[in-house]
């Protein structure tokens, strides 16, 4: 696993312990939410100063060099989320159960990475993510919905489903449906498809983990374009991602003592990132 995370920053993981049935439920309830009329979704809109809630079509632009917003909708959930659709009570239970399950899995992935990196303290990453799932750690789940492109719709020049970016945290666990479209940038600079494989998830490294490991594990750029193929273009695509970050006051210091990057707290790092982006 660590070899893949060093070479390309992405890997597939099977036998991960999250039942297919549970993911199916998450995607089904999400689809039900996203398929509602705008005024219903607006009731769950993400407030400007918050993180949780619904973000509408073309509202977010993960690659700021692209002229228009991504053709996607999302629902963001942190463990302290208080914004929920009251007309679909199951949505909250299903998404929160999934969030918990993903958090457990992320901690197990850290165990594997600790072995792979030969860390003296195999609990190092666990300890830096002690507050995961609680206040003091902003690890978040995102349910992503890429609507089918309507027949009559002209896609804007340069528009994509999800712009080129690397993730900001330590780890991302990505669950995708079988529609496909995710592409990952290789060291040669080409984007190659991360074709969905049933019952597997995609694990990738974020910027903070790259910094922590002094560039040993790499945070690779990825994207989702508007499908060229007619049949895929006219289908919704769905995914769900857990964006793992350390506790807000964990200090990220290069693990190899190289001092390649100065120590920074997670929260300061995140402020810097968001300032860059928004
Ligand atoms: O939907 C996907 O497959 C990728 C989404 C993604 O990369 C992100 O939201 O950071
Ligand atoms: Fe991403």
């Amino acid at each position: 696993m660590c070899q893949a995370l060093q070479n390309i920053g992405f890997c597939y993981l099977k036998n991960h312990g999250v039942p297919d049935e549970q993911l199916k439920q998450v995607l089904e309830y999400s689809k039900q939410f996203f398929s509602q009329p705008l005024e219903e979704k607006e009731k769950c809109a993400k407030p400007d100063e918050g993180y949780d809630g619904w973000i509408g079509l073309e509202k977010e632009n993960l690659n700021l060099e692209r002229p228009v917003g991504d053709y996607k909708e999302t629902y963001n959930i942190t463990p302290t989320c208080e914004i929920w659709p009251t007309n679909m009570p199951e949505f909250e239970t299903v998404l929160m159960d999934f969030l918990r399950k993903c958090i457990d899995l992320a901690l197990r992935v850290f165990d594997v990475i600790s072995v792979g990196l030969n860390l003296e303290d195999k609990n190092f990453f666990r300890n830096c993510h002690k507050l995961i799932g609680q206040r003091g750690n902003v690890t978040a789940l995102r349910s992503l919905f890429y609507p089918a492109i309507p027949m009559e719709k002209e896609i804007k020049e340069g528009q994509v489903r999800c712009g080129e970016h690397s993730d900001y945290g330590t780890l991302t666990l990505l669950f995708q449906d079988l529609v496909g479209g995710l592409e990952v940038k290789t060291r040669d600079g080409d984007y190659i498809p991360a074709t969905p494989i049933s019952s597997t998830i995609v694990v990738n490294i974020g910027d903070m983990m790259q910094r922590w490991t002094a560039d040993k594990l790499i945070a690779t750029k990825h994207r989702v374009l508007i499908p060229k193929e007619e049949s895929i273009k006219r289908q919704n695509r769905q995914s769900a991602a857990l964006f793992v970050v350390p506790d807000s006051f964990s200090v990220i210091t290069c693990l190899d003592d190289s001092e390649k990057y100065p120590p920074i707290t997670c929260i300061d790092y995140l402020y810097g990132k968001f300032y860059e982006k928004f």
Side-chain angles (χ1 to χ4, degrees):
M1 180 182 239
C2 268
Q3 225 159 47
L5 297 177
Q6 281 179 45
N7 292 336
I8 182 137
F10 273 73
C11 69
Y12 292 96
L13 185 62
K14 66 176 183 182
N15 299 326
H16 46 71
V18 182
D20 288 348
E21 201 46 45
Q22 189 170 8
L23 173 66
K24 201 168 143 208
Q25 263 204 334
V26 166
L27 299 184
E28 262 166 26
Y29 280 104
S30 299
K31 184 172 167 189
Q32 202 177 317
F33 174 82
F34 291 115
S35 306
Q36 298 179 110
L38 276 182
E39 57 275 21
E40 209 48 60
K41 293 190 276 190
E42 300 278 354
K43 292 180 189 163
C44 296
K46 179 187 97 60
D48 284 344
E49 70 290 359
Y51 180 83
D52 296 324
W54 170 72
I55 304 176
L57 207 58
E58 305 182 335
K59 285 274 165 22
E60 200 179 66
N61 196 343
L62 286 192
N63 176 358
L64 286 174
E65 286 172 16
R66 291 204 173 260
V68 275
D70 296 344
Y71 203 80
K72 67 162 193 265
E73 297 183 40
T74 75
Y75 203 110
N76 295 345
I77 297 160
T78 57
T80 53
C81 179
E82 286 174 349
I83 300 176
W84 297 106
T86 50
N87 60 341
M88 297 175 48
E90 304 87 351
F91 183 87
E92 175 176 351
T93 348
V94 168
L95 276 280
M96 278 311 269
D97 284 352
F98 185 67
L99 170 63
R100 299 275 157 214
K101 201 72 185 237
C102 291
I103 285 177
D104 291 345
L105 173 57
L107 293 173
R108 287 167 52 220
V109 172
F110 281 131
D111 293 340
V112 173
I113 292 181
S114 303
V115 173
L117 289 179
N118 234 336
L119 295 190
E120 209 166 296
D121 175 7
K122 298 288 184 284
N123 283 318
F124 176 77
F125 288 120
R126 274 190 184 255
N127 287 334
C128 297
H129 294 75
K130 255 203 185 87
L131 299 176
I132 195 166
Q134 302 170 50
R135 226 169 270 285
N137 180 306
V138 294
T139 291
L141 175 67
R142 259 190 153 192
S143 181
L144 292 125
F145 189 77
Y146 303 92
I149 316 293
M151 280 296 207
E152 65 285 359
K153 172 101 189 162
E154 274 291 334
I155 281 296
K156 295 171 189 149
E157 174 86 26
Q159 193 164 37
V160 293
R161 278 185 156 168
C162 174
E164 294 77 3
H165 68 284
S166 56
D167 295 339
Y168 55 85
T170 41
L171 269 189
T172 303
L173 305 182
L174 179 74
F175 299 73
Q176 46 173 344
D177 67 12
L178 296 176
V179 174
L182 175 65
E183 295 180 331
V184 175
K185 195 175 184 175
T186 63
R187 284 183 186 263
D188 298 335
D190 307 317
Y191 277 90
I192 56 167
T195 307
I197 304 176
S198 288
S199 302
T200 71
I201 66 170
V202 169
V203 176
N204 67 284
I205 294 297
D207 301 331
M208 280 196 236
M209 187 60 118
Q210 173 163 345
R211 181 174 173 130
W212 226 330
T213 60
D215 301 326
K216 187 161 184 187
L217 304 186
I218 55 172
T220 307
K221 288 210 169 158
H222 50 285
R223 68 180 183 192
V224 183
L225 298 183
I226 306 273
K228 286 204 180 68
E229 265 170 77
E230 189 63 19
S231 62
I232 305 177
K233 199 170 174 172
R234 308 301 171 203
Q235 279 178 52
N236 299 324
R237 173 173 186 269
Q238 283 186 266
S239 63
L242 184 78
F243 296 99
V244 181
V245 295
D247 300 343
S248 301
F249 294 103
S250 278
V251 181
I252 302 165
T253 306
C254 290
L255 284 168
D256 63 355
D257 296 324
S258 64
E259 299 181 22
K260 191 163 182 185
Y261 304 102
I264 187 168
T265 61
C266 164
I267 190 117
D268 286 344
Y269 185 85
L270 286 177
Y271 276 131
K273 271 278 153 193
F274 284 106
Y275 184 71
E276 241 172 59
K277 272 230 158 86
F278 302 106

